Amino acid sequence: MVSQSTRIAVIGGGMGGLTAAIALNRVAGVQVTVFEQASKLGEVGAGVTVAPNAQRVLDNLGVLEQIRTAGAVPDGHGVYQDALGNLVTDAAWEDSSKQYRNIGMYRPDLINALASAVDPTSIRLGHRLSGVESVESGVRVSFENGVTEEFDAVVGADGIHSVVRQAIGQFPEPVYSEYIVYRGVVDASLLPADWPMISQVWMGNNRHFMCYPLQQRKLFNFVAGVPSDRPLHGPWSGPAEVSELAAEFAGDSWDPKLHRFIESIENTFWWGLFDHEPLTNWSHGPITLLGDAAHTMLPHQGQGVNQAIEDSMALATFVKAAETVADLPEAFRRYTAVRMQRTAILQHGSRRSGAMFDAQYEFADLKKRNADLRVGRDFRRSAVFDYDARKVAEKALNRFERNETK
Ligand SMILES: Cc1cc2nc3c(=O)[nH]c(=O)nc-3n(C[C@H](O)[C@H](O)[C@H](O)COP(=O)(O)OP(=O)(O)OC[C@H]3O[C@@H](n4cnc5c(N)ncnc54)[C@H](O)[C@@H]3O)c2cc1C
C-alpha cells in the first residue's frame, strides 16, 4: 500500500472532486488537498439523481446514510409519458437487488454532505488553477493567486473546461446538442396535495419535461428540454422568465397536470446542453482526470455525477494497490483503462436517450421510440445500476497483476 505521506492534489471541489478526496483518503489512505476556484463550496439550485451505482460507492465510503436522509427516495418507479400524460413505460429506479433506489438530491445538500466527510483544513478555496507541470519530484500546480505547490500526483476534477486536461494533451471540442434545459425547483407545498412522489417525464413535440422530489420531499426538481440555438450566440446559461418556459409547453396538446406543475414554478434559469466526444487518454504520468473533466455527458441518463462517483472509487482502488509513489503513473494508467470504455458508452447512451425523449432523428417513429425506451429501462437496471465500481476495479487489478507475473 502506498505510504500515508503520499500527497495528492485534487483540482475542483465539485461533487466529483469531493468524492475523489473522500475515496483517496478513506480507501487509499493518502493525504489529499482539494483546490477550488470559488470562494465557497456550492452548486446550482437544482436537483440531481444519485443512482444505485453511485450509492453502492457512497455506502462503501460511509457517507450514504447522510445523503439519503437529506434527499428524497421516491414512492415507486418513475414514468415516461406522452405529452398528454399517457403511460409509455415505467423507468428503472432501483438496482436488481432492490437495495438501492434512486435518491433525488438538492445539489447544495449533496455538496454539503460530501464536504462534511472531508477534513476542512484540506480544502483550499479561492485557488484557480492556471498551470500544471511534471517536475522531478512529482507535479507542480500554479494558481492565479500566485500560489505554487508540488504534489506526488494531481487529479483534475475541474469540470467541462478543465485546465488539467490540457496537461494530458487532450483538447476536446465542446459539442452543442442544440437543446437547452430550463431548470429549477418548486416548493412541494405549492403542488396539489396528492401530487405523486415519483419521477415523471412528459415527451412530445421535440421536447420533454421531467420532475422528481428532493430534500425530504419538500422540493421538486424540474428540467425542461427544448430545442434552441441560443448558446451558439452568447453565454451557455443564464436567468430565464417562467413565461418563456410555460410557452414551450402551452396548449391542449400537453397534459393539464403538467400545466398545473408549471403554474407552481416561481423561478427558473436556462442551461445549454454540451458534451464532447470521448477522450483518447485520461492520464499522463502522475496526472489524471475524473468526472466531467474526463467525460462530460448530456444529462439524459442522469449519470454525470454518478460516473464521477464511480471514477473516484476505481481511482482510489488502484492508488491503494500502488506500493510507492513511483507506481502512481501505472495506477493512473490502469484506472484510465478500466474507466474509459464505460464512460464512453454512457456518453453515447446519453445522447441516444436525449434523442429518444425528444423523438429526434431516427426516432420519428414513436412506436419504435417507445419500444426502445422499454429496452433501455432493462439495460439501465442491469448494466448501469448494478455496476459495482470497486469490484470491477479489484478484478481488473488482479488481471493486471496476473499478466505482470506471466
Ligand atoms: C440539466 C442537468 C441535469 C443533470 N442531472 C444529473 C443527474 O441527475 N445525475 C447525474 O449524475 N448527473 C447529472 N448531471 C451532470 C452533472 O451535473 C455533472 O456531471 C457533474 O456536475 C460533474 O461534476 P464534476 O465535479 O466532475 O464537475 P463540476 O460540477 O463542473 O465541478 C468542477 C469544479 O471545479 C472547479 N474548477 C473549475 N476550474 C477550476 C480551476 N481552474 N481551478 C480550480 N477549480 C476549478 C469548479 O468551480 C467546480 O467546483 C446533470 C447536468 C445537467 C446540465
Side-chain angles (χ1 to χ4, degrees):
M1 186 160 165
V2 75
S3 137
Q4 286 179 4
S5 60
T6 303
R7 295 176 68 237
I8 297 187
V10 172
I11 310 299
M15 298 181 273
L18 291 175
T19 312
I22 300 168
L24 285 167
N25 186 257
R26 294 192 178 178
V27 175
V30 299
Q31 292 179 30
V32 184
T33 307
V34 178
F35 291 96
E36 165 58 43
Q37 63 183 357
S39 56
K40 59 179 192 166
L41 296 178
E43 250 290 352
V44 289
V48 66
T49 301
V50 180
N53 49 312
Q55 289 179 41
R56 197 167 289 112
V57 170
L58 296 166
D59 208 0
N60 281 173
L61 295 177
V63 293
L64 180 60
E65 217 31 63
Q66 195 188 344
I67 288 170
R68 198 182 267 141
T69 308
V73 179
D75 278 339
H77 60 75
V79 289
Y80 292 112
Q81 314 164 101
D82 67 14
L84 284 169
N86 300 304
L87 182 68
V88 170
T89 179
D90 54 337
W93 68 298
E94 60 186 358
D95 67 344
S96 302
S97 72
K98 302 187 191 306
Q99 190 181 355
Y100 301 110
R101 295 172 175 181
N102 275 340
I103 302 174
M105 284 301 293
Y106 188 50
R107 284 171 179 254
D109 292 344
L110 182 54
I111 283 283
N112 287 342
L114 294 171
S116 69
V118 179
D119 172 3
T121 62
S122 68
I123 302 179
R124 310 264 290 273
L125 301 171
H127 282 65
R128 184 178 168 79
L129 184 84
S130 51
V132 187
E133 60 176 322
S134 293
V135 290
E136 208 176 319
S137 55
V139 190
R140 180 176 300 143
V141 283
S142 315
F143 298 91
E144 286 184 359
N145 58 11
V147 171
T148 296
E149 275 194 48
E150 286 181 19
F151 289 86
D152 296 312
V154 168
V155 178
D158 49 345
I160 186 170
H161 303 292
S162 174
V163 173
V164 180
R165 199 166 54 202
Q166 298 169 20
I168 291 165
Q170 297 284 317
F171 303 88
E173 279 294 316
V175 178
Y176 179 48
S177 64
E178 299 179 19
Y179 271 71
I180 61 166
V181 285
Y182 292 94
R183 307 169 71 183
V185 292
V186 301
D187 195 321
S189 66
L190 300 176
L191 293 169
D194 60 352
W195 190 269
M197 289 291 166
I198 59 169
S199 166
Q200 300 190 64
V201 181
W202 287 263
M203 305 171 294
N205 193 23
N206 287 352
R207 61 206 66 210
H208 71 273
F209 192 104
M210 165 182 271
C211 66
Y212 56 85
L214 309 172
Q215 206 179 54
Q216 298 173 328
R217 305 179 172 202
K218 290 188 209 126
L219 295 177
F220 261 80
N221 184 55
F222 66 86
V223 181
V226 305
S228 168
D229 64 359
R230 177 157 35 175
L232 298 177
H233 308 295
W236 287 9
S237 62
E241 295 296 329
V242 178
S243 56
E244 278 171 41
L245 185 178
E248 296 281 357
F249 297 89
D252 54 14
S253 59
W254 288 95
D255 187 356
K257 290 198 299 302
L258 174 57
H259 289 154
R260 178 64 188 81
F261 187 96
I262 293 173
E263 279 162 26
S264 310
I265 300 175
E266 293 176 312
N267 294 295
T268 187
F269 56 102
W270 70 272
W271 198 278
L273 295 186
F274 289 82
D275 66 358
H276 56 73
E277 291 300 328
L279 305 184
T280 54
N281 186 15
W282 292 8
S283 300
H284 179 73
I287 306 172
T288 195
L289 300 174
L290 175 145
D292 273 18
H295 48 66
T296 303
M297 57 187 74
L298 296 178
H300 307 300
Q301 293 211 352
Q303 278 292 318
V305 174
N306 293 302
Q307 289 306 302
I309 293 170
E310 284 187 7
D311 291 344
S312 301
M313 179 53 92
L315 180 65
T317 305
F318 287 108
V319 169
K320 179 184 174 191
E323 279 175 21
T324 69
V325 161
D327 297 327
L328 289 177
E330 178 59 15
F332 287 180
R333 200 187 62 71
R334 291 174 173 188
Y335 153 75
T336 298
V338 167
R339 295 299 301 159
M340 267 181 49
Q341 191 187 16
R342 173 155 173 87
T343 54
I345 290 170
L346 284 160
Q347 281 176 298
H348 283 299
S350 300
R351 284 186 183 176
R352 193 174 154 80
S353 291
M356 284 198 267
F357 294 170
D358 300 319
Q360 302 165 47
Y361 319 124
E362 73 266 38
F363 300 110
D365 172 355
L366 288 183
K367 271 197 188 148
K368 177 171 177 345
R369 189 277 304 271
N370 293 349
D372 282 351
L373 272 173
R374 281 181 215 112
V375 172
R377 170 199 58 194
D378 300 337
F379 170 82
R380 210 164 143 66
R381 188 180 305 113
S382 58
V384 183
F385 289 177
D386 289 352
Y387 187 92
D388 187 328
R390 192 183 61 175
K391 276 198 185 143
V392 171
E394 284 172 352
K395 258 187 164 168
L397 194 58
N398 286 338
R399 242 186 357 257
F400 283 123
E401 283 170 0
R402 268 202 315 272
N403 286 345
E404 239 173 32
T405 51
K406 267 186 194 165

